[in-house]
């Protein structure tokens, strides 16, 4: 699963978004951020409108009028605070009124492609072409002024006529030159405009192509995401394990809580036992609102928040956490349309501060296992939260707000790569089968099978690990019992000699390394005094050969342990 952590500073909201692929996680993150942005925009718009109304007030307004409006706003804030606290007290009841069937369509991306299409640029207009007939390009005629004397003096008249003709020709040349210059400038301008228009058109075509590609990519991505939801739905109803996990993760993500609550849960499921384990991140104290009233202090012109009492806050915090636990169980059981869940283990974790050391800590403070049929028979609208939790054999401190750590009923990694397939051995046993002379791999599978029968009545299971013969983990049991359960390491020693303290020390170290709650060492022989002495006071159980035969007989099987015979068969003597 891909994980992306998203947050919104304005709303003080944060969430870990998960997806089967990077693209799915990114799409879900985008949709979440868009929803937050829309909600924040509405809040900002409302506050801006209020501020605008205040700005429009005249400075001549009486102080009493200003106080009245401030007190009205304080009353609105008080109603919001009361609604927030009442909403927390109704977390469980509000879940029961929602539609039973899961809305698969709500998982799909219905967003629109909002980016506007590039507008077609308006072409730049060409200037008018200069015409030779325009007045500024027409040469004005020049007429010589002939006086009487010009007629008398020889050649005077002819000289004036010639000069007039020359002047007229000059004027014509000047006019033609002005026209040529103007037309040339016009041509350059037309060329420049043409180039700019062509560039603008080319840029628009590129922008249009990029926009079309982006829109197509958006549509294809949305279609792929939505078809993935359809595939998830089909796989869920086909009971594909990975799809079941993703479905329950989506169910929990759709559960509505205040934005300040962490929305981080890890879900694991064992199809064989029908056991669903939820490690749930509970809200810390700072996420719980504690304001019951907002007052306006007129002489200081400020708003003052009035908190609920410490006693009431502690009671509210416990109520919220119990409701989250029961609501999570209810929503998951109710959403089990394919009926694969038999039991759910809820482990509630919280970010807290260790009061003794002041260090940050992350304890599990509540854990419970619930059976589906028994839980759905409860009337959640009439229960006492804590009493209901206790009746389910839930484990927690007397006050959740004290953050007293408890051991999870079950918090398992069932995807351990060391787990391998197993086979049955016990049915082939008879009173002549010497367990001490068995093939060592058959013996490990026998121990796995025997303890599986021992734990199965409570919904437990046992998985065998890769064969290594190195004294490591031979099998791991998962016991859901709230008192004695958890992860149990099992080592099988098909020995013909007494087991020494070294093997017990190794087991104790393995229990710590595995994060297990208990270790069991099973042998076909016996243990030395030093082994028993070391095991005292530790979460270790040492089973001898005689106790192993007793367990077999308890489940209706017979075998024997003959160490001398085994030594001969194994060539040890």
């Amino acid at each position: 699963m891909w994980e992306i952590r998203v947050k919104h500073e304005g709303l003080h909201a944060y969430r870990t978004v998960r997806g089967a692929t990077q693209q799915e996680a990114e799409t879900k993150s985008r949709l979440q951020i868009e929803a937050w942005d829309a909600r924040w925009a509405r809040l900002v718009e409302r506050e801006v409108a209020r501020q605008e109304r205040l700005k429009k007030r005249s400075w001549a307004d009486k102080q009493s009028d200003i106080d009245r409006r401030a007190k009205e706003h304080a009353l609105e804030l008080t109603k919001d605070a009361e609604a927030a606290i009442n909403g927390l007290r109704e977390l469980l009841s509000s879940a029961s009124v929602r539609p039973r069937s899961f809305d698969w369509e709500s998982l799909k991306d219905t967003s629109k492609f909002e980016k506007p299409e590039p507008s077609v640029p308006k072409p730049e207009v060409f200037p008018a072409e200069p015409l030779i007939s325009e007045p500024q390009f027409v040469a004005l005629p020049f007429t010589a002024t002939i006086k009487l004397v010009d007629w008398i003096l020889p050649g005077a008249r002819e000289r004036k006529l010639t000069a007039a003709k020359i002047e007229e020709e000059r004027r014509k040349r000047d006019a033609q030159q002005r026209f040529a210059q103007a037309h040339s400038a016009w041509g350059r301008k037309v060329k420049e405009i043409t180039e700019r228009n062509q560039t603008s058109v080319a840029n628009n075509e590129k922008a249009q192509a990029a926009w079309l590609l982006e829109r197509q990519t958006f549509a294809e991505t949305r279609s792929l995401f939505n078809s993935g939801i359809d595939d998830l739905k089909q796989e869920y109803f086909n009971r594909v394990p990975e799809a079941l996990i993703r479905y329950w993760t989506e169910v929990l993500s759709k559960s509505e809580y205040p934005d300040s609550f962490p929305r981080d849960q890890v879900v694991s499921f064992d199809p064989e036992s029908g056991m669903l384990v939820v490690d749930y991140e509970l809200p810390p104290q700072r996420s719980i609102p504690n304001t019951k009233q907002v007052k306006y202090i007129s002489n200081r012109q400020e708003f003052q928040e009035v908190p609920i009492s410490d006693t009431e806050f502690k009671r509210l915090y416990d109520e919220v956490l119990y409701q989250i636990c029961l609501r999570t169980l209810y929503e998951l059981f109710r959403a089990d349309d394919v009926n694969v869940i038999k039991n759910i283990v809820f482990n509630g974790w919280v970010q807290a501060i260790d009061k003794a050391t002041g260090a940050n800590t992350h304890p599990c403070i509540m854990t419970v296992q619930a059976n589906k049929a028994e839980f759905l028979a409860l009337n959640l609208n009439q229960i006492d939260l804590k009493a209901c939790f206790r009746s389910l054999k839930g484990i927690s401190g007397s006050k959740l707000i004290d953050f007293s750590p408890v051991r999870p009923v079950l918090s398992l990694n069932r995807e351990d790569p060391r787990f391998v397939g197993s086979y049955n051995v016990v049915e082939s046993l008879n009173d002549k089968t010497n367990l001490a002379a068995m093939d060592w791999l058959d013996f490990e599978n026998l121990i796995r099978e025997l303890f599986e029968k021992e734990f199965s009545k409570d919904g437990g299971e046992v998985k065998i690990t890769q064969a290594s013969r190195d004294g490591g983990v031979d099998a791991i049991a998962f016991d859901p019992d709230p008192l004695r359960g958890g992860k149990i390491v099992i080592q099988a020693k098909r020995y013909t000699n007494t087991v020494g303290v070294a093997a017990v020390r190794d087991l104790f170290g393995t229990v710590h390394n595995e994060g297990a709650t208990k270790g069991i060492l099973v042998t076909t022989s016996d243990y030395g005094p030093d082994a028993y002495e070391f095991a005292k006071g530790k979460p270790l159980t040492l089973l001898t050969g005689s106790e192993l035969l007793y367990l077999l007989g308890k489940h209706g099987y017979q075998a024997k342990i003959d160490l001398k015979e085994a030594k001969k068969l194994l060539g040890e003597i």
Side-chain angles (χ1 to χ4, degrees):
M1 297 285 282
W2 283 80
E3 289 187 2
I4 299 178
R5 191 166 179 82
V6 294
K7 64 179 181 178
H8 195 283
E9 297 293 347
L11 294 172
H12 303 291
Y14 59 98
R15 180 175 296 187
T16 299
V17 178
R18 295 182 174 89
T21 64
Q22 181 180 3
Q23 186 180 54
E24 180 182 335
E26 289 175 349
T27 299
K28 291 168 69 175
S29 299
R30 174 177 59 80
L31 294 175
Q32 179 61 73
I33 292 173
E34 288 176 355
W36 280 340
D37 286 343
R39 191 182 312 169
W40 178 246
R42 290 194 295 269
L43 293 175
V44 170
E45 182 180 1
R46 188 174 68 177
E47 180 60 23
V48 168
R50 191 182 73 85
Q51 293 294 339
E52 288 297 323
R53 288 196 300 270
L54 292 177
K55 287 180 182 179
K56 292 179 181 179
R57 303 297 299 175
S58 168
W59 286 104
D61 284 346
K62 294 180 180 180
Q63 184 62 42
S64 60
D65 190 36
I66 296 176
D67 287 349
R68 179 180 61 81
R69 290 182 174 276
K71 289 177 180 179
E72 288 176 355
H73 184 58
L75 182 60
E76 292 176 0
L77 295 177
T78 297
K79 290 180 179 178
D80 290 342
E82 292 174 346
I85 292 179
N86 290 334
L88 293 180
R89 291 193 168 114
E90 296 172 356
L91 288 176
L92 183 58
S93 60
S94 63
S96 62
V97 299
R98 294 195 179 94
R100 173 183 173 81
S101 59
F102 183 72
D103 184 7
W104 287 93
E105 293 300 311
S106 67
L107 298 181
K108 293 186 176 181
D109 182 1
T110 58
S111 58
K112 308 291 185 182
F113 186 66
E114 302 291 349
K115 187 174 182 179
E117 182 178 2
S119 57
V120 178
K122 188 175 182 179
E124 192 175 342
V125 179
F126 294 111
E129 182 179 3
L131 300 177
I132 193 68
S133 59
E134 292 178 15
Q136 65 268 33
F137 305 130
V138 176
L140 296 176
F142 185 80
T143 304
T145 303
I146 305 298
K147 298 180 180 179
L148 180 61
V149 68
D150 295 327
W151 290 92
I152 299 172
L153 297 174
R157 176 175 170 276
E158 286 76 10
R159 286 194 298 271
K160 282 191 174 184
L161 290 174
T162 300
K165 188 174 182 181
I166 292 172
E167 176 61 23
E168 190 170 350
E169 290 296 330
R170 186 189 66 77
R171 290 187 178 189
K172 287 181 180 181
R173 288 195 303 271
D174 289 347
Q176 290 172 351
Q177 187 176 4
R178 288 196 303 273
F179 173 76
Q181 291 174 347
H183 199 276
S184 178
W186 170 85
R188 290 193 300 272
K189 191 69 174 177
V190 167
K191 183 179 180 182
E192 291 172 0
I193 293 174
T194 300
E195 291 175 351
R196 286 199 294 270
N197 284 343
Q198 290 174 345
T199 300
S200 179
V201 170
N203 290 339
N204 178 258
E205 289 176 352
K206 290 180 181 178
Q208 188 79 14
W211 180 83
L212 290 172
L213 179 61
E214 189 175 350
R215 186 181 67 173
Q216 180 182 359
T217 301
F218 177 88
E220 290 175 351
T221 301
R222 184 182 59 189
S223 177
L224 183 63
F225 177 82
N226 290 341
S227 65
I229 299 300
D230 292 332
D231 292 341
L232 172 61
K233 180 179 179 180
Q234 185 62 44
E235 291 173 355
Y236 166 72
F237 283 103
N238 289 336
R239 302 184 179 186
V240 177
E242 293 80 4
L244 295 174
I245 294 294
R246 289 179 59 196
Y247 169 72
W248 290 317
T249 301
E250 296 293 351
V251 169
L252 294 179
S253 71
K254 290 294 181 182
S255 187
E256 296 180 2
Y257 287 101
D259 291 323
S260 59
F261 281 26
R263 304 303 304 275
D264 193 7
Q265 308 91 26
V266 178
V267 179
S268 58
F269 181 65
D270 178 29
E272 294 180 6
S273 64
M275 178 70 73
L276 178 64
V277 180
V278 182
D279 285 315
Y280 196 102
E281 191 69 25
L282 297 168
Q285 283 182 257
R286 64 179 181 273
S287 297
I288 306 298
N290 68 339
T291 301
K292 68 176 181 180
Q293 183 183 10
V294 178
K295 294 181 178 179
Y296 178 71
I297 312 301
S298 58
N299 59 351
R300 296 201 300 266
Q301 294 187 347
E302 66 180 24
F303 294 96
Q304 183 180 76
E305 294 182 349
V306 180
I308 60 178
S309 66
D310 288 343
T311 301
E312 188 176 359
F313 180 79
K314 291 178 180 179
R315 183 167 57 249
L316 174 64
Y317 187 78
D318 279 19
E319 286 180 11
V320 168
L321 267 55
Y322 282 125
Q323 286 185 92
I324 290 175
C325 173
L326 298 175
R327 173 172 164 168
T328 300
L329 296 173
Y330 174 74
E331 289 177 335
L332 290 173
F333 278 135
R334 188 179 66 168
D336 183 24
D337 295 325
V338 293
N339 197 29
V340 293
I341 303 177
K342 295 180 182 177
N343 297 279
I344 295 178
V345 171
F346 177 96
N347 300 319
W349 303 78
V350 67
Q351 295 287 347
I353 296 177
D354 190 325
K355 295 180 180 178
T357 65
N360 292 328
T361 182
H362 189 237
C364 175
I365 61 171
M366 61 191 311
T367 182
V368 65
Q369 176 184 334
N371 175 268
K372 183 178 183 179
E374 294 175 357
F375 187 86
L376 292 181
L378 299 173
N379 185 348
L380 297 179
N381 292 321
Q382 299 185 26
I383 62 167
D384 176 274
L385 295 170
K386 188 173 182 179
C388 180
F389 181 79
R390 297 299 184 204
S391 72
L392 296 171
K393 298 182 181 179
I395 303 172
S396 70
S398 58
K399 294 181 179 179
L400 295 175
I401 200 168
D402 291 336
F403 304 126
S404 302
V406 297
R407 189 182 71 188
V409 171
L410 198 63
S411 184
L412 309 172
N413 173 18
R414 296 171 182 265
E415 302 303 321
D416 194 322
R418 297 170 297 171
F419 292 159
V420 296
S422 57
Y423 54 89
N424 294 332
V425 177
V426 70
E427 295 294 343
S428 63
L429 299 181
N430 56 53
D431 57 1
K432 294 183 173 56
T433 303
N434 187 354
L435 300 183
M438 288 182 70
D439 176 81
W440 63 271
L441 186 57
D442 287 346
F443 184 69
E444 288 184 1
N445 276 275
L446 171 64
I447 297 304
R448 188 272 313 163
E449 194 175 0
L450 179 60
F451 277 94
E452 191 165 61
K453 292 180 180 296
E454 188 70 18
F455 289 123
S456 62
K457 62 181 181 294
D458 294 319
E461 63 174 316
V462 180
K463 290 183 178 291
I464 194 169
T465 59
Q466 291 178 348
S468 60
R469 305 187 71 174
D470 61 357
V473 180
D474 295 325
I476 293 179
F478 300 127
D479 185 0
D481 188 276
L483 297 178
R484 63 178 172 83
K487 181 179 182 180
I488 302 173
V489 171
I490 302 172
Q491 288 183 347
K493 302 293 185 185
R494 190 217 58 187
Y495 278 15
T496 55
N497 297 315
T498 300
V499 180
V501 68
V504 184
R505 284 200 186 99
D506 290 343
L507 173 63
F508 187 57
T510 302
V511 168
H512 281 281
N513 292 336
E514 291 286 331
T517 59
K518 186 177 182 180
I520 300 176
L521 189 60
V522 186
T523 184
T524 50
S525 58
D526 205 341
Y527 302 92
D530 52 351
Y532 283 112
E533 184 64 28
F534 180 84
K536 281 184 180 179
K538 297 180 179 66
L540 302 176
T541 298
L542 308 182
L543 294 181
T544 64
S546 59
E547 290 169 322
L548 174 58
L549 291 176
Y550 169 78
L551 278 179
L552 283 170
K554 175 182 175 182
H555 293 283
Y557 300 101
Q558 289 186 335
K560 69 176 184 176
I561 294 178
D562 188 331
L563 298 181
K564 290 184 179 179
E565 179 186 77
K567 288 182 178 181
K568 290 180 181 179
L569 293 173
L570 297 174
E572 296 178 3
I573 56 174

